[in-house]
Amino acid sequence: MGSRRQSRERALQILFQWDIHGKAGEWLEDFWIQHPVSAEVRLFVERLVDGVIAHRAELDELIGAHATNWKISRMPIVDRNILRAALYELLWMPDVPAKVTMNEAIELAKRFADDETKKFVNGILDKILKEDQRLQEKRNEIAAETAGTGR
């Protein structure tokens, strides 16, 4: 498993616990004891988790605006945290290509949820990627990549 994929899985697991427990405490220390990782993986996990927590209100507002007939508080915990982490990557991690973020979010949905979640996550992220003005650079990357492959 690639280190970034492992990082995203660990970040999702931490965000899930954080969503339930709130503040980090003993559970986070126990998590790292039970799931030891390399320094590189842990650094990316912490970058994602800290970013999602710092921007949670904005991320939730964005998700809520694009999730027709869904309140963020009523979404399954896994779904909303996959979306939060992926949107954080899209909006605040310019070094990660949008296509990678999208694919990884769908892989997380496959691994930790079900087919409906996979479709839901893909639909919300795709809608935001197409509509949010802050993501123009990411759209340009995708367009250039698609033009380069002749698709």
Side-chain angles (χ1 to χ4, degrees), residues 92-123:
W92 287 283
M93 297 177 83
D95 57 314
V96 180
K99 194 170 186 176
V100 170
T101 298
M102 299 286 286
N103 288 339
E104 289 295 320
I106 291 166
E107 288 301 317
L108 285 172
K110 285 180 189 176
R111 179 161 160 80
F112 292 100
D114 59 24
D115 275 346
E116 289 305 310
T117 296
K118 180 179 80 172
K119 292 174 192 171
F120 179 69
V121 164
N122 187 50

Side-chain angles (χ1 to χ4, degrees), residues 12-23 27 56 77-78 80-81 84:
L12 177 60
Q13 291 166 323
I14 290 171
L15 289 168
F16 184 93
Q17 290 298 321
W18 168 77
D19 214 334
I20 292 170
H21 299 292
K23 284 187 167 184
W27 67 264
R56 188 189 80 182
I77 295 172
V78 170
R80 71 177 166 241
N81 283 298
R84 285 170 174 160

Side-chain angles (χ1 to χ4, degrees), residues 19-37:
D19 214 334
I20 292 170
H21 299 292
K23 284 187 167 184
E26 283 185 33
W27 67 264
L28 185 56
E29 293 170 32
D30 290 341
F31 177 86
W32 287 121
I33 291 168
Q34 293 173 26
H35 304 283
V37 294

